């Protein structure tokens, strides 16, 4: 069962640093306690996998990558046909890549992640 959106948002605030690293086997991307919690509470392992694949492909352009998930407004959804997008940038507002999703079951309207040294994390864990 999915945790309630407010509970997820509240719990994410408590992750600072990480005690353990987990790994996506084939990609060898590490991720933190906060993302392990998020992937289970929001059932969004797809997000961690997608973000890892894309961020790894951008490492030659930036050592530090911000990953911003954003659900589009209903007007924009009607106009574009997409429900959400993930924008990958270099942390200085230079967009490296954008991926759009026709549909998503991710419960949050927005989320920011960082990808550094083959590790995906919440900003508070950086």
């Amino acid at each position: 069962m999915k945790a309630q959106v407010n509970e997820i948002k509240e719990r994410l605030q408590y992750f600072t640093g990480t005690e353990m690293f987990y790994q996506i086997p084939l990609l060898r991307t590490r991720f933190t306690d906060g993302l392990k919690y998020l992937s289970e509470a929001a059932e969004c392992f797809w997000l961690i996998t997608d973000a890892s694949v894309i961020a790894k492909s951008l490492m030659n352009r930036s050592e530090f990558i911000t990953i911003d998930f954003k659900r589009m407004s209903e007007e924009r959804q009607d106009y574009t046909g997409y429900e959400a997008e993930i924008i990958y940038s270099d942390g200085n507002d230079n967009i490296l890549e954008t991926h759009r999703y026709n549909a998503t079951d991710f419960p949050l309207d927005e989320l920011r992640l960082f990808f550094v040294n083959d590790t995906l994390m919440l900003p508070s864990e950086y």
Side-chain angles (χ1 to χ4, degrees), residues 13-56:
Q13 295 174 33
Y14 294 104
F15 291 98
T16 52
T18 191
E19 290 182 16
M20 259 188 86
F21 287 102
Y22 305 89
Q23 189 166 299
I24 301 172
L26 292 171
L27 298 174
R28 302 224 183 284
T29 299
R30 298 184 314 166
F31 59 98
T32 57
D33 290 329
L35 285 183
K36 179 160 181 15
Y37 163 76
L38 181 67
S39 70
E40 291 168 356
E43 296 174 6
C44 67
F45 201 73
W46 66 268
L47 178 64
I48 291 170
T49 307
D50 277 16
S52 298
V53 170
I54 307 303
K56 268 186 181 301

Side-chain angles (χ1 to χ4, degrees), residues 60-117:
N60 60 339
R61 295 172 61 193
S62 179
E63 288 180 17
F64 181 90
I65 295 174
T66 57
I67 300 159
D68 288 296
F69 173 93
K70 193 163 182 60
R71 184 177 320 280
M72 296 182 183
S73 67
E74 287 197 21
E75 291 160 11
R76 193 134 178 255
Q77 286 180 37
D78 290 344
Y79 176 73
T80 63
Y82 295 106
E83 187 176 343
E85 65 185 4
I86 299 179
I87 298 172
Y88 299 83
S89 66
D90 64 0
N92 294 317
D93 296 325
N94 296 309
I95 294 175
L96 304 173
E97 207 161 310
T98 300
H99 284 251
R100 292 183 174 85
Y101 293 80
N102 293 323
T104 181
D105 59 358
F106 188 62
L108 304 181
D109 287 336
E110 53 186 24
L111 175 72
R112 170 168 271 195
L113 302 174
F114 290 162
F115 185 82
V116 184
N117 296 327

